[in-house]
Amino acid sequence: MGNICSRSSNETDPFTQPGRVVGAGPSDRNAAPRAPVPTKTNWKATPGRTLGESNGDGSAAGTDEARANAAIAAQKRAESASANKGKLGAKLAAQKAQSHAQTLDQVSRTERAARDADEAEAARRWN
């Protein structure tokens, strides 16, 4: 698309212009304007301020209020997410609430029920 979309007012390809010899200094014909070098300043003359320090206009108080509002909103989101967990979420919460002994007892009951079912199946087959 390069030549189709370009206008004649565009600059020509930089490789078609004559170049300079390797090792020669930079060309001054297209020198871009440079920003002035800043004067030396004594940075240690003014003490820095600590994070969270107010700068006189009460902006630190505003950030504390914003933080508190964000924390309250996050707490409300967490509470609403835990309240609407549905059927599987309720089962998971009940499982997490079990103690170690209760969990082992439940596993033991499940295994006993499986063994009883296997024994009943063997009795039906007359083994």
Side-chain angles (χ1 to χ4, degrees):
M1 254 207 287
N3 289 338
I4 296 172
C5 296
S6 67
R7 290 183 248 149
S8 61
S9 63
N10 289 346
E11 292 184 19
T12 59
D13 188 27
F15 295 107
T16 59
Q17 300 172 354
R20 61 175 194 246
V21 181
V22 175
S27 173
D28 287 337
R29 63 185 165 123
N30 289 335
R34 296 181 60 176
V37 177
T39 59
K40 285 191 173 185
T41 359
N42 187 0
W43 295 102
K44 294 183 180 180
T46 59
R49 64 183 191 101
T50 58
L51 286 175
E53 183 179 320
S54 174
N55 55 2
D57 61 351
S59 63
T63 58
D64 289 342
E65 184 179 326
R67 265 191 213 129
N69 290 340
I72 291 169
Q75 183 69 27
K76 285 181 182 178
R77 280 193 305 271
E79 288 171 358
S80 69
S82 66
N84 300 331
K85 51 189 166 185
K87 184 177 175 181
L88 289 177
K91 284 184 179 180
L92 179 64
Q95 190 177 16
K96 283 184 179 179
Q98 287 182 343
S99 69
H100 185 67
Q102 290 171 333
T103 304
L104 290 177
D105 185 42
Q106 182 181 4
V107 170
S108 175
R109 277 187 266 123
T110 305
E111 289 297 320
R112 273 189 254 132
R115 277 197 309 265
D116 291 343
D118 289 343
E119 288 175 5
E121 181 64 27
R124 277 190 221 112
R125 285 185 283 155
W126 292 78
N127 285 343

